[in-house]
Amino acid sequence: MQTGYVYHDDYLKHDTGLHPENGGRLTAIMDGLKESPYFNRLIQIEPVPAKADQIHYIHTYDLIGTVSDFSASLMQLDPDTPTCSRSYEIALLAAGGVILAVDAVMDGMDSVFALVRPPGHHAEPDRSMGFCLFNNIAIAARHAQKKGLEKVLIVDWDVHHGNGTQEAFYKDSSVMYFSIHQSPHYPGTGSVDETGAGDGSGYNINVPLRSGAGDPDYLYVFNEILVPAARKFKPDIILVSAGQDGHRDDPLAGMNLTSEGFGQMAGVVRSLADELCGGKLVLALEGGYNYDALSESVIMIFRALMGECDDISETETRTGVWTEMEAKVEAVMETRAGAGMGIGAEAGTGPVSDHTRQVVERVKELHSGGKIL
């Protein structure tokens, strides 16, 4: 499979100091990725900045001006969202990187993971917030439509609900938004009852889970909700807000996902893309604040995107992060055959919590017989 990644060293120049969302996140990802057996088989896509008119696909010109002015003045956009003198410039480069990822899969690449920062899914049309300046994934969705694709599925597995993405498409039936997230948790949105409005009624799917939910819970939700919804929606492209802050080692949340679990979720969306939209799949980095957990999870995701199961030669060099992960990777990837969705039939049948089952039933009740389920 032809798999690409977007990266540029300039992403490190959005200088947030000791803030949890800092350049060390991308440095850890790239260091781990370069030590993996996959790096030399990936195709790098060098980003170019988005234009203001492209940012305006989602955001008001007033907000674009505010981000520019606040960056020049070194002011915080909200209590959680600092800027530096280059933040506006780098935010344009982040959005531009995800736009180019969409172009790449439309031109025939199988999948692309945009390793960008600052992240984006909290940014609302008229407000930057929650570490996010511009909503990279939402801008990319509109770009895909302007390039001729009609229906976009956005899957958001960041531990925080993507309030900005939801708001951007809440009344829009051409974009289906699916979010699985910790609740209660920042930013306080993402109730199961938030299902869309007007033409978008039924196209917004929220699955809020309690703290402590892990791999079996997430995979159960994917099998029970995401897979049938995607098959009914029939998207022309799938975009993923890929935040790895649901990892059990992440300091800013309380979920129990493993690095392997992120690989399994990526396997699900990879298989959905192959089945429904000619393989067109783009992921954009969102959260994840434990460097080791983030790096391991991203490697697992790339492995799933490349369709790797058990063909890693014993003669290959494994160093650093890869050496530490090897046994876990092999065990997890053995589960990816079956169920027709890139995960094992047993993967979603572990100790799923009663709360998760109740939430799934509530989501089905709200959406059953409608436009999605």
Side-chain angles (χ1 to χ4, degrees):
M1 291 186 177
Q2 196 177 51
T3 304
Y5 71 99
V6 174
Y7 176 76
H8 197 289
D9 284 341
D10 280 357
Y11 289 137
L12 307 179
K13 295 176 181 177
H14 170 54
D15 185 359
T16 58
L18 298 178
H19 191 280
E21 200 298 292
N22 62 66
R25 301 173 62 237
L26 277 186
T27 299
I29 289 173
M30 294 305 299
D31 286 349
L33 193 58
K34 288 173 183 177
E35 292 178 339
S36 78
Y38 311 118
F39 184 69
N40 290 334
R41 294 161 55 192
L42 298 173
I43 300 170
Q44 182 175 2
I45 299 169
E46 188 163 313
V48 296
K51 297 178 173 62
D53 287 349
Q54 292 174 308
I55 304 298
H56 185 55
Y57 294 163
I58 297 296
H59 297 291
T60 64
Y61 281 119
D62 282 347
L63 177 66
I64 296 169
T66 295
V67 173
S68 177
D69 292 344
F70 275 45
S71 296
S73 302
L74 309 183
M75 296 172 61
Q76 296 210 163
L77 289 157
D78 82 344
D80 297 317
T81 313
T83 68
C84 70
S85 61
R86 299 193 64 180
S87 291
Y88 173 68
E89 169 193 344
I90 306 307
L92 294 179
L93 192 66
V98 187
I99 286 172
L100 282 185
V102 168
D103 289 342
V105 299
M106 290 186 67
D107 290 339
M109 191 170 290
D110 293 293
S111 59
V112 178
F113 195 163
L115 302 173
V116 304
R117 63 180 292 273
H121 74 152
H122 292 309
E124 298 179 347
D126 60 356
R127 178 171 63 151
S128 301
M129 59 179 287
F131 311 173
C132 303
L133 278 63
F134 299 132
N135 197 317
N136 306 316
I137 208 79
I139 292 165
R142 283 292 186 236
H143 175 74
Q145 291 179 323
K146 289 181 179 295
K147 293 271 290 188
L149 301 182
E150 295 183 4
K151 295 193 291 184
V152 179
L153 166 61
I154 298 176
V155 177
D156 189 336
W157 67 52
D158 190 280
V159 79
H160 305 95
H161 179 248
N163 56 295
T165 309
Q166 173 174 288
E167 182 176 339
F169 304 115
Y170 203 64
K171 298 180 180 180
D172 189 341
S173 62
S174 70
V175 178
M176 186 175 86
Y177 178 62
F178 168 92
S179 176
I180 181 169
H181 50 272
Q182 181 177 328
S183 179
H185 204 36
Y186 181 89
T189 53
S191 162
V192 292
D193 299 315
E194 297 167 13
T195 60
D199 290 342
S201 180
Y203 290 92
N204 197 85
I205 302 177
N206 286 317
V207 186
L209 301 181
R210 285 181 183 166
S211 175
D215 297 356
D217 299 280
Y218 275 68
L219 294 169
Y220 179 76
V221 170
F222 271 43
N223 282 326
E224 293 291 317
I225 303 296
L226 176 60
V227 170
R231 284 174 169 161
K232 188 167 184 178
F233 183 62
K234 295 182 175 61
D236 298 306
I237 190 172
I238 299 176
L239 309 181
V240 180
S241 276
Q244 284 61 247
D245 41 5
H247 196 284
R248 63 189 177 189
D249 294 331
D250 196 274
L252 298 190
M255 289 310 210
N256 200 34
L257 283 164
T258 66
S259 303
E260 299 90 338
F262 286 105
Q264 289 178 306
M265 289 191 291
V268 174
V269 294
R270 166 75 274 166
S271 295
L272 279 173
D274 289 342
E275 175 187 345
L276 301 173
C277 52
K280 291 187 284 294
L281 173 62
V282 169
L283 298 85
L285 186 68
E286 299 283 2
Y289 306 100
N290 177 295
Y291 291 173
D292 290 340
L294 178 59
S295 178
E296 290 181 2
S297 299
V298 169
I299 291 171
M300 290 295 293
I301 290 167
F302 271 113
R303 179 162 185 168
L305 296 180
M306 298 175 75
E308 297 286 347
C309 292
D310 57 359
D311 58 349
I312 298 300
S313 168
E314 289 299 320
T315 62
E316 286 187 287
T317 300
R318 301 180 177 113
T319 58
V321 171
W322 177 249
T323 300
E324 298 171 8
M325 293 179 62
E326 175 185 356
K328 294 191 294 182
V329 171
E330 294 299 333
V332 169
M333 298 313 291
E334 286 176 1
T335 71
R336 289 190 60 237
M341 293 311 308
I343 61 173
E346 72 276 25
T349 58
V352 178
S353 74
D354 289 341
H355 177 260
T356 296
R357 294 183 187 276
Q358 291 167 7
V359 172
V360 165
E361 290 308 308
R362 177 58 176 158
V363 172
K364 288 181 177 178
E365 178 184 340
L366 286 169
H367 290 276
S368 181
K371 300 165 183 175
I372 297 300
L373 293 175

